[in-house]
Amino acid sequence: MTERAPEETFLQILFDRLNASGIRYAVMRNHEPLPYSSGGSDLDIIIHPSHGTRTRALVLESIHSAGGVPIGIAVSVGFFKVYALGKSGDATAPWWGLRLDINIGLYYRGQRLLDESVEWPLIYHNTIPVLADGFAGVLGVLKEALNNDTFAVRYAAAARGAAHEHWPQIEALLAPMGMSALTRLRAMLLSDAPPEELRGECRRLRQHVIHHTFAHQGLLSFWQRASYEWTKVRRYLKPSGVVIAILGVDGAGKSTLIDAILPILNAATHNAVVVQHLRPTLLPPLARLKGKKRLPPGPVLEPHGSTPSGTLGSLFRLVYLTIDYLIGYWLWTRPQVAKQPTVVIFDRYAYDMALDQRRFRIRLPSRVAWWFAALVPKPDLIICLHGNPEVIVARKQELSLEETRRQLLTLVDFARRQPGAVLVSTEGTVEQARDEVLNAIRLRATSS
């Protein structure tokens, strides 16, 4: 008996509801395993623009019915994507995750490319409407060319066949692009030139689309472009991604826990998970400023092996690290979570400057270190790992039992006072700790 995919329940709920709703939709690619599995891919769907609001509501209802939540939603003109995470059943059921890309018609930076009155060429797979391979290939090439200046080789064969056999139908479907853009698109599809030589053709295709839109819509085309750009600004002002910090004394199991949650979060985001150690590192390590060109690779084996700096040196270190967090957030972390619903995981965070000053060669009053840590942008979720100090020291003998116990007590106290912090015990199995973290992510998504 074939093992069921974790996302099967959600997929069957979603397609049952879409088919019963009367919504005009079609799967764009990778339909073969549906509705029993996503096949490790994201789910690309195109819908008629008049059904955008209904589809979004139906997608969110289907996610909740399958025991999931949207951990991130990004919206722009003619498009929205949802990253879903959940469990379809009791506590023993596997976690599932899936990214859904919903195209509301077809737009390029707010400009319509698809004639909404023309029927799409469809086939049916397990009652699911699917775009015919040739048309799906043409759309795949078109989107990559306009958005990325790239000729998508993976769609080339299907798109070339459609250009040969069904061009009048494709021309009618993509009429809003304009005849000059369509002529250039067909020439590009039928070209035998290597993909790298077609980059210039991609740029010229985009220019034809923009010029045609302006010639026929005038100032309205500027309004459409402005509406599209505003959605990007809104995403930056209110990011759809999630920043998670995982704190814990050496040996608490941070790396093991991250390895356990990564496969599930990667499924939910289609590999849009970024793991960063300690800080953004827009500023170079302090040791490099002192002239050390090469730093030892791998983890720090003796975190307390160096003597702390004096008062002025400690203050300089604290200020330097804080600045890295501040500018690193706005120049690195924020763009990561604003562009799409990326999950950024920090293995340690700014709070470690106060929790474990010795690691950073800092020796200052505790309240000073906590004050600087409080200046740093707060993660959306802070996971604080705790456990038996004797077991932790036996697992990783880098800190003394006394120091391990002190850090654990400080961390537990911090977690109880800090909004957005969750205590997770590592005294059980890795799977139990993993489930606690994923449940915390799901609860945070539900309450936000």
Side-chain angles (χ1 to χ4, degrees):
M1 180 178 177
T2 304
E3 186 178 354
R4 296 179 60 184
E7 69 273 12
E8 179 181 345
T9 298
F10 165 68
L11 289 171
Q12 294 197 350
I13 291 173
L14 175 66
F15 286 113
D16 284 347
R17 292 184 177 182
L18 280 171
N19 289 338
S21 68
I23 289 173
R24 182 181 166 191
Y25 83 97
V27 173
M28 298 184 71
R29 58 185 67 90
N30 303 321
H31 64 275
E32 292 83 0
L34 298 175
Y36 310 107
S37 168
S38 65
S41 179
D42 54 350
L43 182 60
D44 278 299
I45 294 177
I46 186 169
I47 62 170
H48 192 272
S50 63
H51 297 154
T53 302
R54 287 175 58 200
T55 301
R56 179 168 173 173
L58 186 148
V59 166
L60 296 179
E61 289 168 4
S62 300
I63 291 171
H64 289 297
S65 295
V69 295
I71 61 172
I73 302 175
V75 180
S76 60
V77 176
F79 182 80
F80 70 91
K81 67 176 67 178
V82 182
Y83 292 177
L85 171 72
K87 269 179 175 280
S88 300
D90 58 25
T92 62
W95 288 90
W96 63 268
L98 190 63
R99 168 178 152 177
L100 297 92
D101 288 350
I102 312 295
N103 294 270
I104 308 170
L106 192 69
Y107 290 80
Y108 169 66
R109 297 186 177 179
Q111 300 172 13
R112 184 166 61 95
L113 303 178
L114 200 60
D115 190 326
E116 297 163 6
S117 65
V118 179
E119 292 296 319
W120 307 326
L122 300 175
I123 60 174
Y124 283 85
H125 171 78
N126 292 331
T127 74
I128 299 170
V130 178
L131 290 185
D133 285 349
F135 184 50
V138 171
L139 294 190
V141 170
L142 178 61
K143 290 173 68 176
E144 286 289 327
L146 293 177
N147 293 307
N148 301 316
D149 284 342
T150 302
F151 184 80
V153 177
R154 63 187 182 278
Y155 305 127
R160 185 172 290 116
H164 274 298
E165 300 172 18
H166 305 292
W167 187 251
Q169 186 181 15
I170 292 170
E171 204 170 57
L173 285 160
L174 296 174
M177 288 175 53
M179 188 54 66
S180 59
L182 284 165
T183 301
R184 189 164 291 279
L185 174 62
R186 187 169 190 264
M188 189 166 62
L189 293 176
L190 298 178
S191 172
D192 293 326
E196 58 272 14
E197 293 183 12
L198 293 173
R199 293 182 68 90
E201 290 299 304
C202 294
R203 288 190 289 272
R204 284 185 279 274
L205 172 63
R206 183 170 64 243
Q207 291 167 1
H208 280 294
V209 170
I210 294 171
H211 292 163
H212 174 80
T213 303
F214 177 70
H216 285 75
Q217 298 184 13
L219 294 177
L220 178 60
S221 65
F222 287 105
W223 172 252
Q224 292 170 337
R225 178 64 181 269
S227 298
Y228 167 79
E229 297 297 340
W230 173 241
T231 62
K232 294 167 67 175
V233 173
R234 280 194 311 186
R235 290 210 301 269
Y236 195 85
L237 295 175
K238 189 177 181 180
S240 56
V242 183
V243 181
I244 302 170
I246 298 183
L247 310 181
V249 66
D250 289 291
K254 295 183 296 298
S255 298
T256 301
L257 180 60
I258 290 171
D259 289 342
I261 64 176
L262 266 180
I264 299 162
L265 292 178
N266 273 326
T269 64
H270 199 53
N271 302 314
V273 180
V274 179
V275 179
Q276 183 72 12
H277 179 66
L278 188 59
R279 63 188 181 93
T281 62
L282 261 71
L283 298 182
L286 279 165
R288 192 172 298 164
L289 296 182
K290 292 182 177 181
K292 290 186 179 180
K293 296 183 179 180
R294 295 180 61 87
L295 298 175
V300 178
L301 300 179
E302 294 185 81
H304 291 184
S306 299
T307 304
S309 299
T311 301
L312 289 179
S314 295
L315 188 60
F316 175 79
R317 289 177 179 276
L318 195 54
V319 170
Y320 187 85
L321 293 170
T322 302
I323 290 173
D324 186 55
Y325 277 105
L326 288 169
I327 66 172
Y329 177 81
W330 292 107
L331 297 183
W332 183 82
T333 308
R334 185 77 167 211
Q336 293 272 355
V337 295
K339 185 177 180 181
Q340 60 179 336
T342 304
V343 177
V344 176
I345 300 174
F346 277 93
D347 176 3
R348 298 189 180 275
Y349 198 64
Y351 306 111
D352 281 280
M353 298 188 303
L355 290 165
D356 187 7
Q357 290 192 38
R358 182 74 182 268
R359 173 180 295 274
F360 303 92
R361 297 184 62 195
I362 293 171
R363 183 170 52 195
L364 291 169
S366 177
R367 66 180 182 277
V368 175
W370 281 114
W371 185 81
F372 274 91
L375 296 176
V376 171
K378 293 178 174 57
D380 300 294
L381 185 64
I382 306 169
I383 302 297
C384 301
L385 304 183
H386 70 100
N388 186 312
E390 285 81 6
V391 173
I392 290 173
V393 170
R395 187 186 300 145
K396 199 168 186 179
Q397 299 176 357
E398 294 179 358
L399 300 177
S400 68
L401 177 60
E402 180 182 358
E403 175 62 14
T404 300
R405 189 176 286 123
R406 182 198 69 78
Q407 288 192 28
L408 285 170
L409 290 173
T410 305
L411 184 60
V412 169
D413 180 63
F414 164 78
R416 288 172 176 161
R417 293 183 289 103
Q418 180 68 34
V422 177
L423 274 171
V424 172
S425 172
T426 59
E427 293 185 9
T429 65
V430 173
E431 291 74 21
Q432 288 172 327
R434 175 203 66 193
D435 287 356
E436 283 192 58
V437 173
L438 293 175
N439 274 318
I441 295 172
R442 186 164 59 168
L443 181 62
R444 182 258 169 199
T446 304
S447 59
S448 62

